[in-house]
Each structure stands twice: as structure tokens, then as C-alpha cells.
Amino acid sequence: MDLLRFLKPKSFAIVGASEKEGFGGGTCRNNLTYSKDLDRVYFVNPSRSEVFGRACYKSLLDVPGQLDAVVIATPKATVLEIMRQAKTKGAAGVVVYAAGYGEVCTPEAEADELELKNLALELDLAIMGPNCAGFINYVDGKFLYSILHPERDRKGKVGFVSQSGQILMSLLDSPNMTFSYCFSCGNAKVVSPEEYLSFLVDDEDTAVAAMYLEGTGNPALLEDCFHRAALKRKPVVALKVGKSERAMAIARSHTGSLTGSDAIFDALFKKYGVIRVSDMQELLSVSLALAEIRCLPQGDRVAIICLSGGETAICADEGHKIGIKFPDFEKATVEKLRKLLPFYAAPDRNPLDITATPAYQPEVLSQTLQAVLNDPNVDMVLLGFTLMEEIVDNAFYVMFEGIAMALELTEKPFACLNFIEMTRNAGLTKRFADYGVPMLPCTKYAFEVLRHILDFAVFDYGRKRRMVIGEPIEAMGPVKPAKSGMAGPGKTSESIEPSGPREPVAFMPPTGTRVTLSELESKALLAEYGIQVGQGVLAKSVKEAVAAAQTIGYPVVLKIESAEIAHKSDVGGVKLNLANDREVEKAFAEIMDSVAQNAPKAAHNGV
Amino acid sequence: MDLLRFLKPKSFAIVGASEKEGFGGGTCRNNLTYSKDLDRVYFVNPSRSEVFGRACYKSLLDVPGQLDAVVIATPKATVLEIMRQAKTKGAAGVVVYAAGYGEVCTPEAEADELELKNLALELDLAIMGPNCAGFINYVDGKFLYSILHPERDRKGKVGFVSQSGQILMSLLDSPNMTFSYCFSCGNAKVVSPEEYLSFLVDDEDTAVAAMYLEGTGNPALLEDCFHRAALKRKPVVALKVGKSERAMAIARSHTGSLTGSDAIFDALFKKYGVIRVSDMQELLSVSLALAEIRCLPQGDRVAIICLSGGETAICADEGHKIGIKFPDFEKATVEKLRKLLPFYAAPDRNPLDITATPAYQPEVLSQTLQAVLNDPNVDMVLLGFTLMEEIVDNAFYVMFEGIAMALELTEKPFACLNFIEMTRNAGLTKRFADYGVPMLPCTKYAFEVLRHILDFAVFDYGRKRRMVIGEPIEAMGPVKPAKSGMAGPGKTSESIEPSGPREPVAFMPPTGTRVTLSELESKALLAEYGIQVGQGVLAKSVKEAVAAAQTIGYPVVLKIESAEIAHKSDVGGVKLNLANDREVEKAFAEIMDSVAQNAPKAAHNGV
């Protein structure tokens, strides 16, 4: 399967091209609005000879030349035949918008999905979807995507994979988000979300790989992506739901994903320095900030400068709340600041209130920023003010001038933070971004983003960083990364290895006790959870176990769920190949008895 | 002092009227843009006969008729003379923009401030300022305010008092905030922030009283305001900085406020159900939500409805994080939902994913919302979706229709929550607000606001609510509220008393131990802290104590700072009337010895 050619198509066709509202019409309009190579985008519709004034072919087979990809915007019943035609035209993959497959949970729909999948494998054809919104490749300007959004330039360096079409839509609707690629995976039964992530990790045009995930069907590839990203120091940002029971249940009925043990995901994220976020705005803001910032801080000591005492005090409190280190300035810095600032300012304080005066004096602002940026105690500097959408005060332009001057003479990372939502002049935000200055969002988000940037900056995979404070680091050789599911455009992961020992996974079971597993044990556990993550359900009673088994379908495996039992089969905690309700009932009772006898002190959560 | 006439002036003059940029020019332009009674706004400038084409008087004394207020937009040197003229013209108060008084911390500037204050007392004239941006009375349409903001209608029901001009400016810059009144207090040496708050608590046009405070110079009046607001069930929202040492130091040099023990403020807020927020956006959002929402929930059980599985799962996790209760729906509700929603939806889940389909079917959406709103297990309902600024999808209008239908047939509170910053179509937001539906901000803020609404709703002052879970409630008679510093327009507080026992203040000292004080003890402690709140500094060493005493100015008082010592003088923990460094050094040593001897087990933080 040539995923690379599918995601970077030179030419593609839209079957179901239309002027009407809907998936076909939306895809056509997106291409008419944004495409810079419209000549290699072909419209196909058996009942139209023109769409939006452009030639429209009756059949995919009539399109001249070879195609790399095909968008299928027609009803479900037509999909298989169009896939065959796409193969005939040389396509590497197809986007299938049609819904009514696995997501509707009926035997017929699931059979249809299996038929779709089998045909794709037979034809060696990648499928995005079914039940998806498609993808946009901003790097090459390709729009195999169906939804309309307010028109603006969104080209950037953040790649995003989403298991939810709605979440991708919301990110595209954000007034300042930019992307290299974005993928709405849909049911993702042929190409998995992990394979798109793998593409983004390898892709040289993608500075930050972000994803919304509800679970994983391929934990080995997921871990391999994280591993390769950590080696390249490419930030991976993950919005993973399922911290709460209710969210787990929702995810289960949404994409059929089993969210698995959230603690295992968390341990995996921590091990590889993956940035875990908890909502869309946080994902968007931290991804954009990491893609824009001119360099990473060399440490986690921060200075914040504001133009008013009140805002400075808010920053001090909010920073304190999430453990930001505000170092004192060096004496020489304080002396420089004392000369620059009004006499009633207090130049020995960090966060620093420089008063509003320097906002009207670019030279003074520039020198003030330089003094703080050059302080050896400081790794990163932020300036706090609220950039308005409609600018009625010239001070913002003056400030931009002062900041730009300071940045040209210094090297440390710098960002601006805002105090009010729904502001931000687009022109000035862009000019700041061009200087490598992210315009961070409203206070609570800004400090979360700052925390993530600092954590990522000091995370040193395979060398110094320890997952559990106080745990010893065992010297260990590098492990061979799992094979990626696809060939990526970048360096292969085998060519790079961590330069020092890798650490044990720290696993925090739900009971709150903390255990540290060896590398091999953690691998074994992950493999075990890999299955559970993909197909397992936690059952606390025999009744729940039977219900779960019926849902999953027989035969099933029962395993004790306990972080305190490393070798489950040693204590009689595993029963394989259970064929029916009665066997599950029996196995449940046996496991409970056996565990109670062989591991009487181990806390467990069920099977 | 007639604060009411000053804040609700029928006629006022602007001395220093001008067409130039600056305080005088800004005030004139604000009136030309917004005033509906411009004939009773008089421009005064000795060197102009016309300003913006309107008549301009050479002297304040030339203005015809009586004046209620005067804005002094002229340099500091002219202020005293204009105050005398204002008195001659019958004004109840003046706004003084000029800076260079107490805030600059020189003996001359402080002497000037004292002179200003003495003249105000002599003339019985209220002063807002000096060093302030003025105030806006949106209720009557009076603009004694100097800064220009993007033009829009800001009339609403939130009153706001700010010890920081910048913070008020940012709130006015927010694209959807509305106000009844807003006050930039400045140095506030004649009329205190607490007196403006008192006005807002009494004012019938103000539904929510909000404030930014760095400390208090009048803890008795502050507590009285909170008490009266609690009796009326008028929400008070407080952004109080000083949780961290660094924020305390900043506040000290900003407004000269001593933030006092943050724990005492926190206890005071909790006692009276004051909503404590930690940044401007949170203040703005919770104030606006409480001013707009059609009614308060009768309990704290919430249902959240989203149009996508991903967003639903995010809500489940974020709600879980801050302890939101998501009850299960009643069977009858689940049955109703099962009939309304697509067959692959899971109608027994809360938060509930209704899928995107009902967003295009107003009747279905309305019935779905009604089913959930009418569920007896549910006290409040939220619908999560991201309202775009530029609407490219008709679904938003359809949804508005569905929501409006549902609200007309139900009574419980309802709000919308958004997932992305910087969106929100102004027209639809206004239409929702007119239906009593707040448009909550981006996720993290939305859940904070929800938490505050629920806490305020279930806070039952003087009856059921307990500050520390598990502490017994002692039966106590009502206390006489402190006298308000001013006459308010509303009911006097003496006419209402709590209907049941009031509770002890729960005080959490920094060490983390928890003590509960009796009503009288807490009163005594508050009075003691009242002094410290106003003028105290925590000193941990004899050197710090001397430095603090020098800053405050002799004579000073030294008191042991310990939550575990209720009667400080009994253990030798108080030394009065210390006149110089040597006496402070001696007293510090004596207190430490005495406390070590008399209260050896008590933890303390210094003096």
C-alpha cells in the first residue's frame, strides 16, 4: 500500500462532483477556493457535463491519465465499483465519505465494512474512512475534504490526525490554527490512525504531530511512533479521552474504540515525552506554539513581563499554581532595569511590572526585554498583554517594533500571552509568528501551554529524564523499535537509537499505589494491554464478564486486571479460549479463587 | 458625602475637554459616541470655545445650572482649585485622572495626596482617583471615563469595581462583556473600593457585583458587603491576587495594598459564598453567565448534550476532573430519547452524544432537550458546540430555533458551551442571551463557570451549607451587620437577617492543618487580620521585621502570625507601639521566646 502517494497525490478525481450542498459539493468548492493545481483535480458525475463551469466526466474511467487518489462522494451502494475503477486508473487510495458501516453496529453494516476492507486489501488500495470527512494536505495544496469553513490561509506546520470528524472541524474553524496535514480517519479499518501518525512523525514538513484518539487498535505502532518522534525531538500532542468511566463508555459507543486503561496510556505518554492535553483549545494552542516558537528553552526558568501590576500579580499566582519557576534576576539585570523603567517600578521582581510607559517607547521596551532575555538565570521570557482584534491604541504597533528589535539582538525563546478570549488582531498575530513569537491564548490555557513547552524542552529521552521522581534509572541497552506499518517520507527509525539507557515505564494503577516495571516487564505488560486496549473490557462481576463476552463475541480470554500481579498466569489469573457463557462464569470463579489463594495481597479491579 | 448622586449624575462637566488624544479628549469622544443626554454634559477648557463642534466654557464657573459631578482631566497642579469650583457648582464628587500622588511613593507625592484627601473631606466631595481611568454608568448612560475602546453596546447587569485600570480596560475590550457600572478606583484614598462595592450590592440594576482586589483597607465594610449580598442572594465575584508570595509582593508595590493572609480572604469568601476567580476571563465569564442565565439550578446535577462523540467524551472527562455530578437519566427519559435519536446513539449516557443529525431538525432537537430538561434527576442542562463567528453552516440557526422551542416549554436553567476560543457569532450570542442562555467560553473556562454556578446555586447562606465538610454546625443567632459606609439605593441591610444559624469560619492556615473558629473567635480574628490586611507584612526573621517596619513607618505593632494561637496576647505574641529598629529587634526576640515558652506546640509563620 502506497500511503505516501495517496496522501501526496499529484492528481485526483472527485466522484460525485456537484454544485449542491453536501460532501461532493463541499469537496468541489474547497478545491475551487484553495487548489493551486486545479487542472489535476477531475470532477466526475454520470449526470453532469459541467460542475461550477468546469468539465465533468461521466465516469472515472473517462478521466485522462493516471490518478493517485479518488474521492468517493457517492452513496454507499456505489463505493465498491468505484474502488475497482480507481484501481484501474492507478490510484493508491480512496477517500470514502459514505456512512452506514461499522459505526452503526448492525450485522449487515459490519458485513459491508468487512467486504470493503477485503476489497481494499485485494486491490492493495488505501482507504480513508468510511464515515469520514477526508483530508487536507496543505503542504502540496490538496483538498480531499468535504466540509466548508470560513475562508482563510491555514497552511502551517502542525499535522493532525482525528478519530472524530467534529473535532477536526472545530480545529479548522479556529481563527488562527494552521496545519501541514489534517486527517479525519473515520472508521479507519484499512488505514489506521497510527499509520497517519507514523506518516506525520516522518514527514519533514510537519513540525508537530497532534492527534485526537479514543483508543488504539495497534499499540505497537503507536509506541513506535512515539519512540521515533522522541528520537527526532518532534513534539507529539495527544488529546486522549477516557480518564473517567463515563468518557470511556462514550468512546466505546462512538468509534467502537476501547479506551483501555488510561493509566497505561498515561505511562506511555510520559515515557516518550508525549504532550497530553485535555481539550481542543489546549491541543490547538500548544501545537501552534511549538510549531511557531523560534527555539526551545534550554531550561525551565521563566520571566514574565506585564504592563500593569494587576496582570503581573495574576501571572505570579497562575504560574505558582502550576509550578512555574520564576528566578530572581541577576544584580546587573536589576541595575539595567532600574535605569530603564519609571522610578516607581520594582525592577527586582519576577514577574515584572514594567508599567504602561514602555508600551509607548519602542527603544525602552526593546532594551527592557533584552535585559531580561540576556539574564543568565532566565531560559524563556513572556510578555503579557491583551492584543485586541480591533486596534484603537497605537501602542500595539509600538510594542511590536520594540519586541522585534529585542529579538534581533537576542536568542532565547519569547512568547506573548493574552488575558481575554476572543481578541487577537490577525495581522499582528501573523507578524509575531513570523518572528517566532507565539501569541498564547487566554490565561489558563497560556499557562498550560507554557507548562507543556517547558516540560517538552527539559524532556531528554533516553538520557536524564526520569518518569518517577526518586526511582533509580537502570542502565539498559536500546531496544529495537517495532516495524512501522508504512514507509514514511523521512529517515527510517532504525537509523537512530537513543544515546543512553532507556527507562522503565512507571505504571500508576487506579488504586494509587506505584509500581515500576523493568523494561522487559513493561514491554510484556504493554503487549498484554495491547490486546486489552484493542479488544478488552473490564468486568467487575461474573455478570459483567458474561455481558462483555457476548459483546466481544466468543471465544474470549479472561485475565485478572491487576497492576500488582506481573505474571498473571503464575497465579492462575488467565483463562484462554472460553467458548460460551457457562465457561466464562466458571473461569471467572476459578480466577477469583486462584488469585485469592496465590496473590492474597494483590489489589485487582476485576477481569 | 453623596456617592449616589456622584455615580448617577444628571449633569456633569469635563474640565480639560479636548480634541487631542489623551484623558480629556477620550472622555469627550466617549460622550459624543455614547451619551444619550449630551445636553447635560458640559465641556470646559480655558483655551477653547468649541470642542468637536460643541460649545466649550472657559471656566467651570461659567457652566449654566447645577452640576452633580465634574471630571478633572487637567494636570495635577490645577486639581485643588477645580475641586473648589466643583463644590461651588454643587457637585457631589469629582473624577481625578491626574497621577503622581501616593502611587509614586515619594514624600512630596504622598503629601500632595494627603492635601487632596483633606480638601475632599473639608468640601464633603467624593473623589474617584486620583490616578484612575474614571467610571461608566451604563444604567443611566453616563461616561466619566477616559479610555477609548472598540465601539459597541456594553449595557448589561454586571457591576465591576477595579483596583487596576488595566484590568478594567481589558474587560471593556472583551467582545461580549456587558456592564451596569464599572469603576476604576485609582488610589481610592477618599472613596474606597469597598464603598463602590457597597453601592453595587444595593443597586437594583446590578445583578452581579464583581471586583478585582489586591487587598482591603476596610475589612469590616468588605465583610458587610458580602453579608448583604449573601442575604439578597446577589452573586459577588472576586478576582483576588496574592495566593503566591510573588503576587503579594507585586500587589504591595502596585497599589500599596497589603494583600494580607490569603487564607483569611479565602475563608471570608467561602463563608459568604463569594465566587473567587483567578483571572480576568474567568471573572468576565462567570459574571456574565450569572447575569444572563434564566434561573439558578435547584441542585447540582448536570446533563451535558453534544453533537459528537469526541466532544461528549471531552465533557465527561473535564466534568469529572472538577467534580461535576452527571446523574443517570430516568428510564422514561431514556425511552423518549431512544425514539428521538438515531438508532446507533446511546440514549442512556450522560453526557449524551445525540449525533449531528438533530442539529438539522429543530423539532427533534427541541424534544430531545425537553426530555432531558424535564428529567427529575437533572437540575441544569448544557449543550456543547462551537458557535462560529462567521456562520457557514445553517445548522446554527436551526439549533437556535430548536433550543428556543424547548426553553419555552420548560423551566430549568440551560447554557451553551464552546470548545474553541475566539469564535462566537455576536448576533446569535445576543439572541441566546435574550432567552436567558449564556454562551459559555472555551472548555476549561466553561467548566470553571459551571462549577461556580452550581456552587452558588447550592450555597444556602445561614442555613444548610457547611464550609468544611464534616464539621458540625453550631446553632447561632444572627449577628448585627456592620454599618455600611454609604447609603445605597436599595433596601437597607438591617431589614433582612439570615433565617437560621450562621456558621463558623473555617480557616486553613498555610501549614495545611485545619481549625474551625467559633463565630466570635472568627470575628476577633478577622478584626485582628483586618489590621494586618490593611497594613501588615509577614516577617520571618528579625531582619525582615525591621525592613518591614521601615517600609510601613514607625510606630509599628508586632504580632505572632499563627492560626493555632487564637489569643496572641495571652502567649506574649503581641508587642505594641514600637518606635524604632532597636525596639522591633527586641520585640521580635521577646515574642519568639514567649511563644516558644507559652505555646510550644503551635506552628507559626513569623510576625
Side-chain angles (χ1 to χ4, degrees):
Chain A
M1 199 162 64
D2 190 353
L3 192 57
L4 193 57
R5 186 159 66 89
F6 173 46
L7 299 179
K8 295 173 85 66
K10 290 198 170 57
S11 61
F12 66 92
I14 302 161
V15 184
S18 167
E19 287 164 15
K20 291 185 204 150
E21 276 190 27
F23 282 71
T27 309
C28 291
R29 288 176 60 190
N30 276 327
N31 278 281
L32 292 167
T33 307
Y34 297 109
S35 177
K36 291 194 176 104
D37 193 16
L38 207 52
D39 286 349
R40 304 184 73 176
V41 179
Y42 302 95
F43 291 176
V44 177
N45 188 328
S47 57
R48 303 287 304 266
S49 59
E50 264 194 8
V51 169
F52 291 114
R54 294 190 71 239
C56 182
Y57 299 88
K58 299 281 176 197
S59 157
L60 190 52
L61 299 174
D62 298 340
V63 172
Q66 194 204 294
L67 293 171
D68 293 319
V70 172
V71 178
I72 306 179
T74 51
K76 188 181 162 192
T78 65
V79 170
L80 298 179
E81 176 53 25
I82 297 170
M83 279 170 66
R84 287 198 185 86
Q85 294 177 2
K87 184 66 187 177
T88 307
K89 293 296 298 174
V94 297
V95 173
V96 179
Y97 294 145
Y101 291 89
E103 80 282 3
V104 299
C105 307
T106 64
E108 301 76 31
E110 276 161 18
D112 292 343
E113 190 162 87
L114 189 63
E115 195 182 3
L116 186 77
K117 181 176 172 173
N118 287 338
L119 181 62
L121 296 177
E122 180 196 322
L123 300 174
D124 189 30
L125 206 58
I127 295 184
M128 182 172 292
N131 184 32
C132 75
F135 75 94
I136 307 176
N137 165 345
Y138 284 105
V139 171
D140 306 305
K142 308 295 174 185
F143 296 82
L144 294 84
Y145 180 77
S146 56
I147 317 286
L148 299 176
H149 296 273
E151 195 176 330
R152 67 177 181 82
D153 180 18
R154 291 179 178 80
K155 184 172 176 177
K157 292 185 282 184
V158 178
F160 180 59
V161 185
S162 185
Q163 280 192 287
S164 156
Q166 178 64 45
I167 285 181
L168 172 57
M169 277 169 61
S170 282
L171 260 56
L172 284 162
D173 280 342
S174 167
N176 67 352
M177 187 59 190
T178 57
F179 300 90
S180 55
Y181 295 84
C182 50
F183 306 118
S184 157
C185 312
N187 297 5
K189 289 292 149 54
V190 176
V191 181
S192 70
E194 293 83 358
E195 287 171 281
Y196 298 116
L197 178 65
S198 184
F199 167 85
L200 294 175
V201 168
D202 290 335
D203 179 61
E204 297 298 328
D205 296 304
T206 296
V208 178
M211 77 187 305
Y212 168 73
L213 75 163
E214 298 190 343
T216 177
N218 192 346
L221 179 55
L222 189 69
E223 183 174 5
D224 179 55
C225 289
F226 293 166
H227 178 203
R228 283 183 286 130
L231 293 175
K232 290 178 110 172
R233 282 189 73 64
K234 180 180 285 197
V236 177
V237 178
L239 171 52
K240 156 76 176 66
V241 292
K243 283 182 196 165
S244 63
E245 293 276 340
R246 284 181 188 267
M248 273 194 239
I250 292 157
R252 203 147 53 222
S253 63
H254 178 222
T255 47
S257 286
L258 294 171
T259 55
S261 161
D262 193 70
I264 276 289
F265 276 96
D266 220 44
L268 203 59
F269 295 153
K270 285 195 179 125
K271 178 173 180 180
Y272 294 103
V274 171
I275 297 165
R276 182 175 193 171
V277 296
S278 58
D279 69 40
M280 284 125 84
Q281 185 63 46
E282 189 183 351
L283 178 139
L284 185 160
S285 299
V286 71
S287 302
L288 197 59
L290 281 164
E292 285 178 350
I293 200 160
R294 63 174 176 160
C295 60
L296 280 175
Q298 294 298 303
D300 60 355
R301 299 163 308 164
V302 170
I304 298 186
I305 295 170
C306 297
L307 307 168
S308 96
E311 292 176 344
T312 310
I314 289 170
C315 287
D317 274 349
E318 289 299 289
H320 175 75
K321 195 155 74 183
I322 58 165
I324 301 292
K325 288 179 201 159
F326 294 116
D328 287 330
F329 300 135
E330 281 220 327
K331 269 191 183 166
T333 307
V334 175
E335 283 318 304
K336 276 183 221 165
L337 292 172
R338 200 180 300 284
K339 282 177 198 144
L340 289 163
L341 301 179
F343 74 96
Y344 49 90
D348 55 344
R349 301 253 160 75
N350 175 23
L352 173 66
D353 170 17
I354 60 171
T355 80
T357 313
Y360 298 88
Q361 303 167 330
E363 189 59 48
V364 173
L365 180 64
S366 169
Q367 288 181 35
T368 301
L369 296 179
Q370 285 176 56
V372 177
L373 279 160
N374 288 329
D375 188 298
N377 296 341
V378 171
D379 297 311
M380 179 171 177
V381 177
L382 291 100
L383 181 65
F385 64 95
T386 300
L387 178 58
M388 296 304 306
E389 184 166 6
E390 185 184 334
I391 293 182
V392 292
D393 188 336
N394 204 37
F396 292 109
Y397 295 104
V398 174
M399 279 163 60
F400 175 74
E401 201 187 324
I403 292 167
M405 274 197 277
L407 292 179
E408 274 163 18
L409 297 166
T410 57
E411 287 185 341
K412 287 181 194 157
F414 181 85
C416 296
L417 66 84
N418 286 267
F419 295 101
I420 299 282
E421 245 210 3
M422 301 200 293
T423 47
R424 248 79 90 220
N425 180 275
L428 268 178
T429 298
K430 175 78 170 62
R431 287 173 70 185
F432 276 115
D434 291 344
Y435 268 90
V437 177
M439 187 60 56
L440 301 186
C442 199
T443 323
K444 289 186 207 301
Y445 285 96
F447 279 91
E448 293 282 351
V449 169
L450 178 60
R451 182 75 268 162
H452 290 311
I453 292 174
L454 298 174
D455 286 347
F456 183 77
V458 301
F459 178 77
D460 193 359
Y461 176 55
R463 283 186 290 267
K464 288 179 296 189
R465 174 85 167 185
R466 290 181 293 175
M467 289 306 107
V468 179
I469 290 161
E471 291 290 339
I473 298 174
E474 291 165 50
M476 284 193 164
V479 293
K480 189 140 185 85
K483 262 272 191 268
S484 166
M486 54 161 292
K491 271 180 163 176
T492 62
S493 58
E494 275 77 7
S495 62
I496 330 172
E497 285 300 340
S499 62
R502 293 175 74 195
E503 310 133 53
V505 170
F507 173 56
M508 173 87 78
T511 51
T513 53
R514 187 170 281 187
V515 292
T516 303
L517 305 170
S518 75
E519 175 73 19
L520 289 177
E521 280 174 332
S522 75
K523 279 281 173 191
L525 186 66
L526 279 168
E528 264 186 58
Y529 271 85
I531 297 166
Q532 176 161 3
V533 163
Q535 297 153 18
V537 175
L538 178 67
K540 294 186 178 179
S541 67
V542 64
K543 209 171 139 194
E544 286 183 18
V546 170
Q550 288 171 346
T551 310
I552 295 168
Y554 287 104
V556 298
V557 173
L558 247 61
K559 291 185 196 178
I560 187 77
E561 215 286 349
S562 169
E564 289 173 51
I565 305 173
H567 299 286
K568 300 184 195 319
S569 51
D570 291 358
V571 298
V574 181
K575 298 280 169 184
L576 306 170
N577 262 321
L578 309 174
N580 54 46
D581 294 7
R582 211 177 45 77
E583 288 188 18
V584 167
E585 285 166 22
K586 189 159 160 276
F588 188 93
E590 286 172 2
I591 285 177
M592 289 300 154
D593 285 348
S594 186
V595 168
Q597 209 173 326
N598 296 319
K601 289 180 182 163
H604 61 79
N605 306 313
V607 297
Chain B
M1 199 163 64
D2 189 352
L3 193 56
L4 193 56
R5 185 158 66 87
F6 173 46
L7 299 180
K8 296 173 85 66
K10 291 200 168 54
S11 61
F12 66 93
I14 301 161
V15 184
S18 167
E19 287 164 14
K20 290 184 205 151
E21 276 191 24
F23 282 71
T27 310
C28 292
R29 287 176 60 190
N30 276 327
N31 278 282
L32 293 167
T33 307
Y34 296 109
S35 178
K36 291 195 177 106
D37 193 14
L38 205 52
D39 287 348
R40 303 184 74 178
V41 180
Y42 301 96
F43 290 177
V44 177
N45 188 329
S47 57
R48 303 287 303 268
S49 59
E50 264 195 6
V51 168
F52 290 115
R54 294 190 70 242
C56 182
Y57 299 89
K58 297 284 176 194
S59 156
L60 190 52
L61 299 174
D62 298 341
V63 171
Q66 195 206 294
L67 294 171
D68 293 319
V70 172
V71 178
I72 307 180
T74 52
K76 188 182 163 191
T78 65
V79 170
L80 298 180
E81 175 54 25
I82 297 169
M83 278 170 67
R84 287 198 184 87
Q85 295 177 2
K87 183 66 188 177
T88 306
K89 292 298 296 175
V94 297
V95 173
V96 179
Y97 294 146
Y101 291 90
E103 81 281 3
V104 299
C105 307
T106 64
E108 302 75 33
E110 275 162 18
D112 291 345
E113 189 163 89
L114 190 63
E115 195 183 1
L116 186 78
K117 180 177 172 173
N118 287 338
L119 181 63
L121 296 178
E122 182 196 321
L123 300 175
D124 190 30
L125 206 60
I127 296 184
M128 181 172 292
N131 183 33
C132 75
F135 74 95
I136 308 175
N137 165 344
Y138 283 103
V139 171
D140 307 305
K142 308 295 173 185
F143 296 82
L144 294 83
Y145 180 78
S146 55
I147 316 286
L148 299 176
H149 295 273
E151 194 176 330
R152 67 175 181 84
D153 180 17
R154 291 179 178 82
K155 185 172 175 175
K157 292 186 282 183
V158 178
F160 180 59
V161 185
S162 185
Q163 280 190 285
S164 156
Q166 178 65 45
I167 286 180
L168 171 57
M169 278 169 61
S170 282
L171 260 56
L172 284 161
D173 279 343
S174 167
N176 67 352
M177 187 60 190
T178 56
F179 300 91
S180 56
Y181 295 85
C182 50
F183 307 118
S184 156
C185 312
N187 297 5
K189 289 291 148 56
V190 176
V191 181
S192 70
E194 292 83 358
E195 286 171 281
Y196 298 115
L197 179 65
S198 184
F199 167 84
L200 294 176
V201 169
D202 290 334
D203 179 60
E204 297 298 328
D205 296 305
T206 297
V208 178
M211 77 187 307
Y212 167 72
L213 75 163
E214 298 190 342
T216 178
N218 192 347
L221 179 56
L222 189 69
E223 184 174 3
D224 179 55
C225 290
F226 293 166
H227 179 203
R228 283 184 286 133
L231 293 176
K232 290 178 108 170
R233 282 189 73 65
K234 181 181 283 195
V236 176
V237 179
L239 171 52
K240 157 75 176 65
V241 292
K243 281 181 198 165
S244 63
E245 293 275 339
R246 284 181 188 267
M248 273 194 236
I250 292 158
R252 202 144 56 220
S253 63
H254 178 223
T255 47
S257 285
L258 294 170
T259 54
S261 161
D262 192 71
I264 275 290
F265 276 95
D266 220 45
L268 201 59
F269 295 153
K270 285 195 180 126
K271 178 173 180 180
Y272 294 102
V274 171
I275 296 165
R276 183 175 192 171
V277 296
S278 59
D279 69 40
M280 285 128 81
Q281 184 63 47
E282 190 183 350
L283 178 139
L284 185 160
S285 300
V286 70
S287 301
L288 197 59
L290 281 164
E292 285 177 352
I293 199 160
R294 63 174 177 160
C295 60
L296 281 175
Q298 295 297 303
D300 60 356
R301 299 163 308 164
V302 171
I304 299 186
I305 296 169
C306 297
L307 307 169
S308 97
E311 292 176 343
T312 310
I314 289 170
C315 287
D317 274 349
E318 289 299 288
H320 175 76
K321 196 156 72 184
I322 58 166
I324 301 292
K325 289 178 200 158
F326 295 116
D328 287 331
F329 300 134
E330 282 220 325
K331 270 192 183 167
T333 307
V334 175
E335 284 318 304
K336 276 184 221 163
L337 292 172
R338 202 180 299 284
K339 282 177 199 146
L340 289 162
L341 301 179
F343 74 96
Y344 49 90
D348 55 344
R349 301 256 159 76
N350 176 22
L352 173 66
D353 170 16
I354 60 171
T355 79
T357 313
Y360 298 88
Q361 303 167 331
E363 189 59 49
V364 174
L365 181 63
S366 169
Q367 288 181 36
T368 301
L369 296 178
Q370 286 175 55
V372 177
L373 279 160
N374 289 329
D375 188 298
N377 296 341
V378 170
D379 298 309
M380 179 171 177
V381 177
L382 291 99
L383 181 65
F385 63 94
T386 300
L387 178 58
M388 295 305 304
E389 184 167 6
E390 185 185 334
I391 294 183
V392 292
D393 188 336
N394 204 37
F396 292 110
Y397 295 104
V398 173
M399 279 163 60
F400 175 75
E401 201 187 325
I403 292 167
M405 275 197 276
L407 292 180
E408 274 163 18
L409 297 166
T410 57
E411 286 184 343
K412 287 181 194 158
F414 181 86
C416 296
L417 65 85
N418 286 267
F419 296 102
I420 298 283
E421 245 210 5
M422 301 201 292
T423 47
R424 249 79 89 223
N425 181 276
L428 267 179
T429 299
K430 175 78 172 61
R431 287 173 69 185
F432 277 116
D434 291 344
Y435 268 90
V437 177
M439 187 57 58
L440 301 187
C442 198
T443 323
K444 289 185 206 304
Y445 285 97
F447 279 91
E448 293 282 351
V449 169
L450 178 59
R451 183 74 269 163
H452 290 311
I453 292 174
L454 298 173
D455 286 347
F456 183 77
V458 301
F459 178 77
D460 193 357
Y461 177 53
R463 284 185 290 267
K464 287 179 297 191
R465 174 85 167 185
R466 291 181 292 175
M467 290 305 108
V468 179
I469 291 162
E471 292 291 339
I473 298 174
E474 293 165 49
M476 283 191 163
V479 295
K480 189 142 186 83
K483 262 273 191 271
S484 166
M486 55 160 292
K491 270 183 165 174
T492 62
S493 57
E494 274 77 4
S495 62
I496 329 172
E497 287 298 341
S499 62
R502 293 174 75 196
E503 311 133 51
V505 169
F507 173 57
M508 173 86 78
T511 52
T513 53
R514 187 171 279 187
V515 292
T516 303
L517 305 169
S518 74
E519 175 74 19
L520 290 176
E521 280 173 332
S522 76
K523 278 281 173 190
L525 187 66
L526 279 168
E528 264 185 58
Y529 270 86
I531 297 167
Q532 176 164 3
V533 163
Q535 296 153 18
V537 174
L538 179 67
K540 293 186 176 178
S541 66
V542 63
K543 209 171 139 195
E544 286 183 17
V546 170
Q550 288 172 348
T551 309
I552 295 168
Y554 288 105
V556 297
V557 172
L558 246 65
K559 290 184 195 178
I560 188 74
E561 214 287 349
S562 169
E564 290 174 51
I565 304 174
H567 299 287
K568 300 184 194 321
S569 52
D570 291 357
V571 297
V574 182
K575 298 279 169 184
L576 306 170
N577 260 322
L578 309 174
N580 55 46
D581 295 7
R582 213 178 43 77
E583 287 187 17
V584 167
E585 286 167 21
K586 190 160 159 275
F588 187 92
E590 284 172 1
I591 286 177
M592 289 300 154
D593 285 347
S594 185
V595 167
Q597 211 175 325
N598 296 319
K601 288 180 184 164
H604 61 80
N605 305 314
V607 297

